Amino acid sequence: MRIKCPNCGKLYEIADADMPSGGRRLRCSGCGEVFWRRPEDADDSFINQTEEKTAAVDAPDWNEINHEKTPENDPDWNEIKYAKPDSDAQEWAEINAEQVKSENVAVSEKEEMPAAVTPDDAVLQMRDEEKNMQENKDDTTSGSAENKPDSMDDIFKRLSEQSEALAQKESARPAQEKVWGCICRNTGLLSKTTRCYLCFLLFLIFVLLMYYFRYEIVRTVPFMEKAYTVLHIKSKILGEGLEFKNVSRRSYEDDYVTKMEIKGFIVNNTDKMLEIPTIKLEVMDDKAMVLQTQTTPPPAKFIKENGRIAFSVTVTKPSPLSKYIYLTFTEKQK
């Protein structure tokens, strides 16, 4: 289709496929006038007039859409002519009508009109853009090269400031915190795994100490005996607080049977009533080798505080090698 500029009357040849149904905005390459045209606005009435060049406007592919019309490549070139309007008033009236019509179409269809440029303008614009991009790239490269020393200086300056701040903070810490921090670093306490192992080791040491000092713990805290009893751990020395005193022995014969009597007193050295366990007697020779062992029930079940009670144990047929007597307490025989 052929489109005429409403200002200068210049004609342009535009392919039908490049003109949308709603029309598009165009710009005249001769006078720079911007106007709106639709497919039904094609103007083919100006023929047999002076010769004029044509160009496609704002086409997506300049090689296929718009070629300059010459007699060599266009056999109908002589038919593309234009005629001046009858008067300037008529021309301006047409221009104003077209502008009002284009504004109404733009408002009704709410379509933004694309910018229209000629092929020559597009080429020049592309060249300018490439030139600007190359200049910006060169400026960026030179600027980065110039600023590189400054940026490194800034980095070293920040590192120096951070080091000074850390040194001041470290010097302001109390001595005990410094010592503790040194211990944590050297022993690996900063690691979670190391702390877990250390906690387990401390717990194991605590359990061993509770077992080893169970007798002292029960003497100091008597109710802890129940806890050890639940765990089936003996926490109290059998016969603790009791003592054998004034022990003597006597050998005699009864019905031609040699016997040995050991007697004395059991003394309570505490301020509370104690239970008397079973008495255990051991007869030993001069080398402290056990020759005989005998157990005897206690003379009484309990003994008062700071009190004493007599006991007597008889050994039948003692060994002629017996020299020492050892008395102690043992658990009740079941």
Side-chain angles (χ1 to χ4, degrees):
M1 67 175 63
R2 294 179 177 83
I3 298 299
K4 182 189 76 170
C5 174
N7 185 26
C8 64
K10 190 173 182 178
L11 285 175
Y12 295 92
E13 181 72 15
I14 298 178
D16 296 340
D18 297 334
M19 178 63 70
S21 60
R24 68 185 304 171
R25 186 177 62 176
L26 305 175
R27 181 185 290 113
C28 180
S29 62
C31 63
E33 178 69 10
V34 178
F35 54 96
W36 187 272
R37 284 293 181 267
R38 294 182 297 180
E40 55 267 30
D41 297 332
D43 193 347
D44 298 332
S45 60
F46 298 94
I47 57 174
N48 299 325
Q49 302 295 331
T50 58
E51 181 177 314
E52 184 66 22
K53 292 183 179 181
T54 61
V57 182
D58 198 16
D61 189 353
W62 297 105
N63 296 326
E64 296 180 5
I65 296 174
N66 209 356
H67 300 280
E68 187 177 2
K69 303 298 182 178
T70 61
E72 289 79 12
N73 60 17
D74 189 4
D76 298 331
W77 170 256
N78 293 329
E79 297 180 4
I80 306 175
K81 305 295 175 60
Y82 74 94
K84 289 290 184 179
D86 295 340
S87 64
D88 293 337
Q90 180 183 359
E91 179 69 16
W92 285 108
E94 292 178 2
I95 293 173
N96 293 332
E98 291 295 333
Q99 290 179 353
V100 172
K101 187 175 181 181
S102 64
E103 292 175 358
N104 294 335
V105 172
V107 172
S108 61
E109 296 183 359
K110 296 182 180 180
E111 179 180 351
E112 184 180 359
M113 296 184 298
V117 294
T118 61
D120 296 336
D121 293 339
V123 173
L124 293 176
Q125 185 177 0
M126 292 177 62
R127 291 178 179 176
D128 292 339
E129 291 179 356
E130 291 178 356
K131 185 177 180 181
N132 293 333
M133 291 176 63
Q134 185 66 28
E135 291 177 354
N136 293 333
K137 184 177 181 180
D138 296 340
D139 294 340
T140 304
T141 305
S142 61
S144 61
E146 294 176 357
N147 295 332
K148 187 174 181 180
D150 297 336
S151 62
M152 294 299 295
D153 292 340
D154 293 340
I155 292 173
F156 287 122
K157 184 177 179 181
R158 287 196 299 271
L159 290 175
S160 177
E161 293 176 353
Q162 292 177 359
S163 300
E164 292 178 359
L166 290 175
Q168 293 177 358
K169 185 177 180 181
E170 184 68 20
S171 61
R173 292 176 60 192
Q176 58 272 19
E177 290 187 4
K178 293 181 180 179
V179 173
W180 177 248
C182 182
I183 293 173
C184 291
R185 288 191 298 271
N186 295 331
T187 57
L189 290 177
L190 299 178
S191 173
K192 185 177 180 181
T193 304
T194 305
R195 291 197 297 269
C196 292
Y197 285 139
L198 182 60
C199 291
F200 176 76
L201 180 61
L202 292 176
F203 175 75
L204 183 61
I205 293 173
F206 174 76
V207 171
L208 293 176
L209 292 175
M210 289 289 290
Y211 179 80
Y212 183 78
F213 295 101
R214 62 189 183 278
Y215 300 113
E216 287 76 7
I217 293 173
V218 171
R219 290 193 193 102
T220 306
V221 187
F223 67 84
M224 286 296 295
E225 183 181 359
K226 296 181 179 179
Y228 285 106
T229 304
V230 171
L231 297 174
H232 302 284
I233 298 175
K234 297 171 67 174
S235 60
K236 190 174 181 180
I237 298 175
L238 195 63
E240 185 177 11
L242 301 178
E243 184 181 0
F244 294 98
K245 286 187 176 182
N246 301 329
V247 178
S248 63
R249 68 177 179 176
R250 179 177 66 90
S251 298
Y252 65 96
E253 289 185 3
D254 185 13
D255 294 335
Y256 304 101
V257 177
T258 306
K259 295 183 179 180
M260 183 173 60
E261 180 184 17
I262 296 95
K263 60 181 179 179
F265 294 95
I266 299 175
V267 180
N268 184 0
N269 296 321
T270 64
D271 296 333
K272 56 184 179 180
M273 182 180 294
L274 298 177
E275 182 180 2
I276 302 176
T278 302
I279 299 173
K280 180 180 180 181
L281 182 145
E282 292 178 343
V283 180
M284 296 180 290
D285 58 8
D286 56 352
K287 295 182 180 180
M289 297 296 293
V290 178
L291 301 175
Q292 289 176 286
T293 302
Q294 183 175 331
T295 58
T296 303
K301 189 173 183 181
F302 294 97
I303 183 173
K304 294 181 180 181
E305 58 275 10
N306 298 320
R308 67 177 185 173
I309 187 171
F311 74 95
S312 176
V313 179
T314 301
V315 179
T316 304
K317 295 181 180 180
S319 174
L321 301 176
S322 60
K323 186 174 183 181
Y324 301 107
I325 302 297
Y326 180 74
L327 293 171
T328 184
F329 296 102
T330 185
E331 293 181 356
K332 185 177 180 180
Q333 298 294 331
K334 295 182 179 180

